[in-house]
Amino acid sequence: MAITLDSAGLPVDEQARNALLTEFRSRVGHLVEGLRGIDAEKGDGDVSTSYRYAPVPAACPLCSEQLDLQNVHIDTENGALASAVCTSDQCDWSSDAVYRIIDFESSESDAFESSVLTGDIEPSYHPY
């Protein structure tokens, strides 16, 4: 479960912002505790003030062995596809791997700067 709150107008002062985020985490935790079938104590509650991305491991979903990614094809929108084949001799799993552009990083010398973190671009979120 993810809760996203855009343009919340958080306090600039770090101490005040952290206090607000702690209170928010606590209040959401209390709301979740009352829902049937959800164990808030076992959940991993996190409140952050940044964008997030959701990577999946390059491991076979059946046997957890490493995947061999082949034939990367750039699509006409925002990503690419590749053939993903399990490297295990005992597993014959294969599928398409889906890629999406999640950020642009510019560099000066050895430092990289994220376009998302600087606010130059804003990511969008889509449910599966």
Side-chain angles (χ1 to χ4, degrees), residues 2 9-12 15 18 22 30 32 38 55 59 61-62 68 71-72 76-77 85 90 93 105 110 113 122-123 126:
L10 296 174
V12 175
Q15 190 173 17
N18 287 339
T22 298
H30 289 300
V32 171
I38 295 179
L62 297 182
D68 183 15
N71 304 323
V72 177
T76 59
E77 293 294 319
V85 179
Q90 284 76 41
W93 184 89
E105 293 182 341
D110 291 338
E113 188 172 76
E122 187 173 317
H126 307 277

Side-chain angles (χ1 to χ4, degrees), residues 7 10 23 29 36 39 41 43 49 54 59 74 79 83 94-95 110 121 127:
S7 304
L10 296 174
E23 182 181 352
R36 253 190 326 196
D39 187 352
E41 294 296 319
T49 57
I74 304 298
S83 298
S94 66
S95 185
D110 291 338
I121 59 172

Side-chain angles (χ1 to χ4, degrees), residues 37-48:
I38 295 179
D39 187 352
E41 294 296 319
K42 291 184 180 179
D44 182 19
D46 182 38
V47 175
S48 65

Side-chain angles (χ1 to χ4, degrees), residues 58-75:
C60 177
L62 297 182
C63 71
S64 300
E65 289 294 318
Q66 184 175 351
L67 294 175
D68 183 15
L69 301 173
Q70 309 164 351
N71 304 323
V72 177
H73 297 73
I74 304 298
D75 69 19

